[in-house]
Amino acid sequence: MPITPTQFIWMDGAMVPWDQANVHVLTHGLHYGYGVFEGVRAYQTPKGNAIFRLRDHTQRLLDSCKILMIDVPFTLDQLMEAQLEVVRVNDVPEGCYIRPLVYLGYGEMGLNPLPVPVRVAVACWPWGAYLGDHSKGARMKISSWQRHDPNAMPTQAKGTGMYLNSGLAKMEAIRAGYDEAIMLGPDGRISEASAENLFVVKNGVIRTPASSAAGALAGITQDSVIEIARDLGYEVRFETLVRTDLYLADEVFLTGTAAELAPVASVDDRVVGDGTPGPITTALQSIYLQAVKGALPAYEKWLTYCS
Ligand code: PMP
């Protein structure tokens, strides 16, 4: 999806005009993929733009840095304020996607990450629903690319280089005529999609693979949707899933900051339910989209208002 430029990007503590937010070609992170990032969204609410689960996303960014032993020269509060400021200074009245990035910069080469200067950037731009129209379901394919083994790549870190794996799976799915890939873990069980967590609904029970078992990222949208589902009285279980659980599910949906809550229409050409978004998916999606836009007081705790 093409990027719609905004006015400013926060780089290492200062606002830089969009077109000048550049790095040297010998930036370490470009060569070895050593960096971490977050995907965050700000939504338009009745009280102006608000960032959804800002503290949780920023904490996960710092957790990713801890896992990769990247020493970030900013505190949690400073990084939260940088994201709020980026939304304030840019012309994004209808909300935006926010991309905080911590990366190893210019000045040292060779594999040892330890002496390399750490750089931080936060950009934002308007970005619609990542998997397209919410009312239609995604056509999914189980990927021939396996999710990382947690002892080969730390799956709880959003490390930049780790997304080669997601990119390969996504590209394979698109080239084969599908919308998105589902990845199996090293044990052959369902892990997650290329950048979303996955849920199945069967006989009214909602199940999703646990990140610890499946090598999936512990999703913040996944966590939000679980809380909403439990508040609605649904039973939600973390459970190991195999591919036939997807083929025989009543409903399947994906969650992620970019994709929000996206229904799945088919998996490996087996139609899920009747191929249209099911009632539980639709109910959860509707509440999630109201919650992020500040329409539900019970979930306002997840919002940080920009002004
Ligand atoms: N899994 C992966 C691999 C992801 O990149 C993402 C997006 N951050 C997710 C799951 C969903 O996580 P979240 O809901 O926190 O955006």
Side-chain angles (χ1 to χ4, degrees), residues 10 36 61-66 69-76 78-79 101-103 118-120:
W10 185 97
V36 308
L61 184 78
L62 291 180
D63 290 348
S64 295
C65 289
K66 181 173 185 183
M69 296 184 89
I70 297 175
D71 208 0
V72 195
F74 296 97
T75 63
L76 180 89
Q78 287 172 323
L79 293 168
L101 173 71
V102 180
Y103 58 102
V118 176
R119 309 251 341 240
V120 186

Side-chain angles (χ1 to χ4, degrees), residues 70-299:
I70 297 175
D71 208 0
V72 195
F74 296 97
T75 63
L76 180 89
D77 285 342
Q78 287 172 323
L79 293 168
M80 283 174 53
E81 185 51 34
Q83 293 166 81
L84 290 163
E85 194 57 21
V86 159
V87 178
R88 282 185 205 120
V89 299
N90 284 300
D91 184 22
V92 285
E94 289 167 7
C96 56
Y97 181 83
I98 306 166
R99 168 56 56 83
L101 173 71
V102 180
Y103 58 102
L104 296 193
Y106 171 83
E108 292 270 346
M109 264 301 162
L111 258 184
N112 180 11
L114 292 170
V116 185
V118 176
R119 309 251 341 240
V120 186
V122 182
C124 79
W125 63 91
W127 216 12
Y130 175 67
L131 286 173
D133 185 351
H134 277 133
S135 62
K136 291 209 200 89
R139 294 184 62 237
M140 310 285 294
K141 178 176 169 34
I142 307 243
S143 185
S144 72
W145 292 98
Q146 173 186 296
R147 197 82 194 131
H148 300 292
D149 181 315
N151 287 318
M153 280 284 192
T155 46
Q156 284 322 308
K158 269 182 80 73
T160 54
M162 293 169 60
Y163 281 79
L164 283 175
N165 177 248
S166 293
L168 286 165
K170 181 83 183 177
M171 184 169 59
E172 180 188 69
I174 301 274
R175 292 298 283 268
Y178 297 84
D179 300 314
E180 177 56 309
I182 295 171
M183 306 185 71
L184 306 179
D187 61 354
R189 313 297 177 183
I190 303 292
S191 178
E192 59 180 343
S194 72
E196 301 88 25
N197 293 105
L198 186 141
F199 287 77
V200 301
V201 182
K202 180 84 177 173
N203 300 326
V205 176
I206 302 170
R207 295 182 294 158
T208 187
S211 57
S212 52
L217 189 72
I220 291 169
T221 321
Q222 178 189 45
D223 181 69
S224 311
V225 168
I226 289 172
E227 185 168 332
I228 291 170
R230 288 187 173 144
D231 287 349
L232 286 175
Y234 290 110
E235 183 180 347
V236 185
R237 291 191 212 142
F238 285 105
E239 225 170 81
T240 302
L241 299 173
V242 294
R243 60 199 295 166
T244 45
D245 289 321
L246 305 181
Y247 297 169
L248 300 180
D250 298 331
E251 303 179 36
V252 177
F253 62 86
L254 307 172
T255 60
T257 298
E260 300 172 315
L261 196 156
V264 169
S266 64
V267 177
D268 292 344
D269 299 315
R270 276 79 165 178
V271 174
V272 174
D274 67 1
T276 64
I280 295 179
T281 304
T282 311
L284 294 174
Q285 186 185 57
S286 155
I287 294 187
Y288 180 76
L289 291 176
Q290 290 175 65
V292 296
K293 290 173 187 153
L296 300 174
Y299 302 116

